[in-house]
Amino acid sequence: MTTPHFYPIGVPGQPWGDAERSQWRARQVRQRSYADDVLGAVERLRDRLELEAYGEVVYGDERFALVAMRSRKWQSHLPTVLVTGGVHGYETSGVHGALRFADAHAAAYAGRANLLVVPCVSPWAYERVQRWNWGALDPNRNFMPNSPVQESAALMRLVAPLRGQFAAHIDLHETTDTDASEFGPAKSARDGIPFEAHGIPDGFYVVDDTANAQPAFQKAIIGAVERVTHIAPADARGEIIGSPVVAYGVIHYAMKALGLCAGVSDARYTCTTEVYPDSPRATPEQCIAAQVAAVCAAVDFVRR
C-alpha cells in the first residue's frame, strides 16, 4: 500500500541532497562498540581460525578494521561456504549468529568444508543500530562494480579471488518492526517517493535467488530453523513483504540485479536469511540460534 508518510528530514517528493544527508547523519547516535562486540570476539578465535584483515572503513576520524575468519586447513577439494553478517548493522542476530557459528561449530567442519566468515560487513551502522552506512546508502543494494559504498566494495575485493569456488553463500539478516516505522519511511524521504508499506511477517523466512532458485537448499534451511523458532506465514495476498511466497517460508529476489550481498560469490547455493526479532514468540537467544541453525544446515547441505 502506497501512503503519504511524514519523515522529519527533507521535503516530501524531493530527493535528499547533501544538507539532508548531513541532518540524517547528525541524528545517528553511537549505541554499542564494534571493537568490543565484534573485534574482541574475533580475536578470541585466533587459535582456531585464521584471521584476515580485508580492509578498513574510514569516515572522518572514525576508522573501522574489517576482519574475516577462514578455516586454517583450507583444502581445494572441499566445498567452500561464505557466511556474511551485519551487512545491515542494526540486524543484530546476523552479526552474533555469524560469531556464534564460528565459535561453536567451525571447528567441527575442519577438514570437511572450507569456511569464510565475515561477521560484520558494516561496522559504522552496527554501532548506530542503523541500516545505512555513513553516506545514507544501503550496503545491501550496492554490491556492484564501482560501488560507492566502502563496506560493499571491501567485501567484493575479499571475495573476488575465490569467486566461482564457493558452493554456498548464506547472508544473515533480520526483518524488524523498524523497517516499517523508520527505515522504510527514511528511504522514501531520501528518494523523494511515496512510502510503500508492507506488513512485517511474524517469523523466520528466507530469500532465494530468482535467477538461480535452489528450492531443496532453502527447504533444508527452513527445516533446520523450524526446530528453533517459528516460520513466517504468507499474508492474505500469499506474500511476504510484498513478494509471492514460492514455498513454505521462501520468497525470491533478483540478487545480482538488486546489488544484494548474496549475489557476490557466484555460489551455486545462495540464501538470505530473515529473522524477526520483535516477535513475542522469539527471544534474542532464539534469533541467534536460528541464524546458527541456518548456517549449519547450509554447510551440511553442500557437504552432502
Side-chain angles (χ1 to χ4, degrees):
M1 179 176 63
T2 300
T3 60
H5 194 96
F6 173 76
Y7 195 77
I9 296 173
V11 177
Q14 296 183 18
W16 288 359
D18 291 342
E20 289 80 13
R21 291 174 187 269
S22 294
Q23 290 175 40
W24 171 84
R25 197 155 43 245
R27 291 164 55 90
Q28 309 311 313
V29 178
R30 185 175 184 267
Q31 301 180 50
R32 53 192 180 185
S33 170
Y34 169 74
D36 292 344
D37 297 353
V38 179
L39 296 183
V42 168
E43 184 61 32
R44 289 190 289 273
L45 296 173
R46 182 179 290 276
D47 62 334
R48 286 175 276 166
L49 293 163
E50 180 180 324
L51 307 189
E52 180 176 352
Y54 70 92
E56 186 178 50
V57 171
V58 180
Y59 295 126
D61 60 356
E62 291 191 84
R63 310 179 79 90
F64 300 92
L66 299 171
V67 63
M69 300 171 282
R70 64 170 73 224
S71 303
R72 286 189 174 277
K73 297 180 180 180
W74 197 277
Q75 301 177 56
S76 60
H77 68 281
L78 296 176
T80 299
V81 179
L82 173 63
V83 182
T84 48
V87 172
H88 291 144
Y90 74 110
E91 295 171 3
T92 304
S93 71
V95 175
H96 293 282
L99 290 169
R100 175 81 60 83
F101 168 76
D103 184 23
H105 297 281
Y109 291 110
R112 303 161 70 193
N114 301 319
L115 302 173
L116 179 61
V117 181
V118 184
C120 188
V121 173
S122 192
W124 183 92
Y126 175 83
E127 293 200 334
R128 273 78 180 178
V129 194
Q130 177 52 244
R131 182 181 182 91
W132 295 340
N133 75 346
W134 181 92
L137 294 172
D138 187 340
N140 208 36
R141 294 299 184 275
N142 283 282
F143 287 93
M144 57 185 64
N146 302 312
S147 175
V149 173
Q150 294 183 40
E151 298 86 347
S152 305
L155 183 65
M156 288 190 290
R157 288 193 297 270
L158 172 69
V159 169
L162 296 170
R163 187 176 290 116
Q165 299 178 40
F166 290 102
H169 176 191
I170 183 164
D171 188 31
L172 309 181
H173 284 257
E174 295 180 345
T175 300
T176 73
D177 287 346
T178 52
D179 290 1
S181 64
E182 168 63 23
F183 301 122
K187 179 181 183 297
S188 296
R190 183 198 65 185
D191 297 344
I193 60 176
F195 172 53
E196 186 174 354
H198 299 293
I200 302 299
D202 184 355
F204 178 94
Y205 64 99
V206 296
V207 183
D208 199 358
D209 186 4
T210 305
N212 178 37
Q214 298 290 342
F217 181 62
Q218 312 304 333
K219 183 178 180 180
I221 291 170
I222 291 290
V225 172
E226 194 171 25
R227 294 191 286 270
V228 176
T229 191
H230 59 291
I231 305 303
D235 63 19
R237 300 176 62 181
E239 298 177 341
I240 290 177
I241 60 168
S243 294
V245 173
V246 298
Y248 180 47
V250 183
I251 63 173
H252 284 171
Y253 272 15
M255 291 182 174
K256 288 191 176 182
L258 291 171
L260 303 186
C261 181
V264 303
S265 67
D266 289 343
R268 178 179 179 184
Y269 301 102
T270 57
C271 176
T272 301
T273 67
E274 295 286 354
V275 169
Y276 179 45
D278 300 310
S279 173
R281 301 167 59 191
T283 65
E285 174 57 32
Q286 278 180 294
C287 292
I288 294 172
Q291 303 282 25
V292 173
V295 177
C296 289
V299 179
D300 290 339
F301 184 92
V302 297
R303 286 187 56 249
R304 291 195 297 269

